[in-house]
Amino acid sequence: MGVSEAAPVAHEGHPGLRREIGFVGLIWASEGSIIGSGWLFGAQKALGVAGPAAIISWGIGSLAILILALVHAELGGMYPVSGGTARFPHYAFGGAAGASFGWFSWLQAATVAPIEVLAMITYGQHYSWAKGWLKIKGGQDLLTGSGIAVAIVLMAVITAINFLSIRLLARTNSAATWWKVGIPLLTIFVFAIIAFHGSNFTAADGFNPYGAKGILGAVSTSGIIFALLGFEQADQLAGESANPKRDIPRAVIGSIVIGAIIYILLQIVFLAALPASQVQGTWTTAAFNTLTGPFAQLATLISLGWLATILYLDAVVSPAGTGLIYITGSSRVSYGLSRNGYVPQVFEKTTRRGVPWPGLIAAFVTGCICFLPFPSWQSLVGLITSASVLMYAGAPLSFGVFRNRLPNAERPYRLPGGSWMSPLAFVVANLLILWSGWTTDWKLGVAILIGYVILIANRVFKMNPIQPQLDLRAAQWLPAYLIGMGLIVYASDFGPLKHPWFPLWWDMVVVAAFSLAIYYWALAVALPTEKIQRMIDQVVVPEEADIPTRT
């Protein structure tokens, strides 16, 4: 791992971040976020929603996330600042849009860790001493009082580890990620050799019993997109990268390619290894849906007790590692939001080791709150998937603005076909929101409103000396975008209406047309070139030089 010779200028309370992460640390930060609880549950949940056609769902999800990752690769190389995904829209559209997408980014990062903790507790049901932590109600696993207490303790442990220096944290995460990648690969190899039943691909009610709606629904609601999320962690840690312009694009693209291959193979071997007794009836009601530790229990069913033991251990390591890096990322996002003036200045305080500790505390508290209204793994997954793709939607918009307004800016990685890949990425992000469904998206709407209350309070009570211009003209498209997407989802085949206005396929056409209209509207009213360059010079240049200068 390379270490920069430049040291930040230390001053009391704000010593700044440290550029100490090399390429391995960056790609493993992203890969460690991708390989988490998603691999422990994703194959089971997707199979229950789409049947064996879930393999197609993983292919669609991987392609969608790769398109978004390519956009992030160019942006991260151009402007390697801490909490990058929260800050690109700020440079392109000013205060109002920047604050909004900053909140979406923080919401996503801060609420992943509780999902990983819930995954650990769910797999822990294998042990008798953990049985009292969950109860089944309405077909879902819910945390009991003791389960919530255990979850809070686990959140506290993950948060406490984050108080290490970024170099030690990166090394800790890198070591955990070698394990996290190795165990799924071992599982794929063993299942493929020991128990591969080709007949399973047409068992139960067939290969594709639920049609396109099942395939597309599995992409968002069964955990596929959630499992593939995390490539942006290299962007979030860009302010601590030793060689960001070289390493960030490679880390972003490399991590999603590795993750996609692993997940598609895991879906194939999980399906093929199931005993005949587990695939009777229909895919939605078959016995495998009741497994609380899918891969570990499957290993036991096919007499691979030694592998089951390893997988139960991995059920602690994998989710804990992912939760660890997302807590890290959320604190860097809040640091970046404070640098832009959106949240109180206190979030820029760092320890002498360069750790932004107020952001860690805020992420811990938010994570603990999540255990109350969303106490099961799958119910949280839908919410975070929507928050994630809404956060990702800001990147293609920013990408388009920078290509138009700053065509000659240095681009260490230049995305081929960026002029059409960028609007395509925005369409993809909005399709993922559509497929998440109304039940999930209305909860996201409530979370967005809470964020606006926080952002307005910060401005009204002047808790940050920086008062960024709102630039309402440049953000005029944003209310139409948020409200319009909500109405489309409500009126679609994924909404609550018995007779939707936009039936399947037509709803996707409507989303695509709406997305393109918003995209080109946003590009037309974005900030002028001079203002964009001035804001970048004020923030990016000092941070690239490791100087914690206020904007």
Side-chain angles (χ1 to χ4, degrees):
M1 183 185 305
V3 180
S4 172
E5 293 299 322
V9 177
H11 54 95
E12 188 173 358
H14 299 274
L17 304 177
R18 299 174 184 269
R19 290 196 178 276
E20 298 182 331
I21 308 179
F23 171 67
V24 173
L26 284 173
I27 192 171
W28 261 191
S30 288
E31 198 63 54
S33 299
I34 292 172
I35 307 295
S37 63
W39 100 264
L40 298 172
F41 294 98
Q44 178 202 40
K45 302 298 183 185
L47 188 59
V49 172
I55 298 168
I56 300 174
S57 301
W58 282 100
I60 293 172
S62 298
L63 180 61
I65 294 299
L66 179 59
I67 291 171
L68 293 170
L70 290 170
V71 169
H72 279 76
E74 178 168 314
L75 293 175
M78 287 178 70
Y79 305 125
V81 293
S82 185
T85 56
R87 301 170 79 177
F88 302 139
H90 169 82
Y91 305 137
F93 301 103
S100 300
F101 282 97
W103 170 249
F104 306 155
S105 181
W106 187 86
L107 179 68
Q108 179 261 355
T111 49
V112 167
I115 297 180
E116 305 304 316
V117 167
L118 285 169
M120 295 164 65
I121 291 175
T122 302
Y123 255 75
Q125 297 305 291
H126 168 71
Y127 303 102
S128 58
W129 43 264
K131 293 291 186 183
W133 298 349
L134 287 178
K135 63 181 178 181
I136 298 177
K137 185 177 180 180
Q140 285 193 322
D141 293 322
L142 305 181
L143 288 172
T144 62
S146 60
I148 291 175
V150 171
I152 291 173
V153 170
L154 290 173
M155 276 291 297
V157 171
I158 292 173
T159 304
I161 295 174
N162 265 278
F163 279 87
L164 299 171
S165 71
I166 190 62
R167 189 190 324 188
L168 289 174
L169 183 62
R171 288 176 176 171
T172 300
N173 182 69
S174 292
T177 304
W178 282 109
W179 166 279
K180 291 167 64 176
V181 171
I183 299 306
L185 290 176
L186 173 65
T187 303
I188 291 167
F189 176 78
V190 173
F191 277 14
I193 297 297
I194 303 297
F196 194 95
H197 310 298
S199 58
N200 282 1
F201 290 85
T202 54
D205 45 350
F207 178 81
N208 184 22
Y210 315 117
K213 187 172 183 179
I215 292 173
L216 298 177
V219 173
S220 285
T221 60
S222 69
I224 289 177
I225 292 300
F226 169 77
L228 293 165
L229 299 178
F231 65 83
E232 80 285 353
Q233 290 304 321
D235 275 345
Q236 310 296 41
L237 298 175
E240 293 153 281
S241 169
N243 195 339
K245 293 187 175 183
R246 181 197 68 187
D247 293 343
I248 290 173
R250 294 194 300 163
V252 168
I253 297 171
S255 64
I256 194 62
V257 170
I258 294 171
I261 292 172
I262 290 175
Y263 276 117
I264 291 172
L265 292 176
L266 283 168
Q267 181 67 71
I268 292 172
V269 298
F270 179 81
L271 166 62
L274 287 169
S277 61
Q278 296 290 311
V279 292
Q280 299 298 317
T282 68
W283 291 108
T284 56
T285 60
F288 73 86
N289 287 291
T290 64
L291 301 177
T292 56
F295 275 99
Q297 288 178 286
L298 178 55
T300 300
L301 288 173
I302 59 178
S303 303
L304 294 173
W306 63 271
L307 181 59
T309 300
I310 294 175
L311 291 175
Y312 280 119
L313 177 59
D314 183 70
V316 175
V317 176
S318 284
T322 299
L324 178 70
I325 200 63
Y326 266 101
I327 290 284
T328 307
S330 67
S331 66
R332 273 60 180 179
V333 170
S334 58
Y335 178 94
L337 289 174
S338 180
R339 295 277 295 186
N340 283 343
Y342 299 142
V343 298
Q345 186 182 5
V346 67
F347 285 98
E348 289 178 56
K349 287 180 177 280
T350 59
T351 67
R352 293 194 177 278
R353 292 179 174 178
V355 177
W357 63 267
L360 295 179
I361 301 302
F364 168 73
V365 172
T366 302
C368 292
I369 292 173
C370 284
F371 295 130
L372 302 179
F374 306 105
S376 73
W377 187 85
Q378 199 164 5
S379 62
L380 265 173
V381 164
L383 178 73
I384 306 311
T385 298
S386 293
S388 299
V389 294
L390 192 55
M391 170 194 76
Y392 290 148
L397 295 172
S398 305
F399 181 102
V401 171
F402 296 151
R403 280 287 183 99
N404 286 348
R405 302 284 200 270
L406 305 170
N408 298 319
E410 180 187 1
R411 289 173 168 83
Y413 168 75
R414 187 178 183 90
L415 174 61
S419 59
W420 60 267
M421 284 287 284
S422 178
L424 175 61
F426 188 61
V427 171
V428 166
N430 291 325
L431 285 174
L432 295 175
I433 293 174
L434 170 71
W435 298 336
S436 294
W438 177 254
T439 302
T440 293
D441 289 342
W442 78 260
K443 298 173 186 175
L444 177 62
V446 173
I448 290 172
L449 291 176
I450 293 172
Y452 281 129
V453 170
I454 295 171
L455 295 169
I456 291 170
N458 173 69
R459 191 173 185 89
V460 170
F461 295 104
K462 297 181 179 179
M463 291 181 280
N464 193 314
I466 297 177
Q467 294 291 302
Q469 293 182 353
L470 293 180
D471 299 298
L472 294 178
R473 180 185 178 279
Q476 61 185 261
W477 52 271
L478 183 58
Y481 168 56
L482 295 176
I483 295 172
M485 274 305 303
L487 291 175
I488 291 173
V489 174
Y490 182 85
S492 74
D493 201 46
F494 295 89
L497 300 180
K498 188 172 293 186
H499 301 290
W501 298 355
F502 309 126
L504 188 65
W505 298 112
W506 281 108
D507 51 7
M508 287 180 268
V509 171
V510 170
V511 166
F514 176 75
S515 299
L516 292 175
I518 294 293
Y519 180 88
Y520 289 106
W521 180 9
L523 263 60
V525 299
L527 295 177
T529 300
E530 297 76 17
K531 188 166 185 177
I532 293 174
Q533 190 62 60
R534 185 168 63 253
M535 289 197 299
I536 289 172
D537 290 341
Q538 288 175 337
V539 178
V540 178
V541 174
E543 291 193 26
E544 284 183 330
D546 288 326
I547 303 172
T549 302
R550 296 280 300 168
T551 59

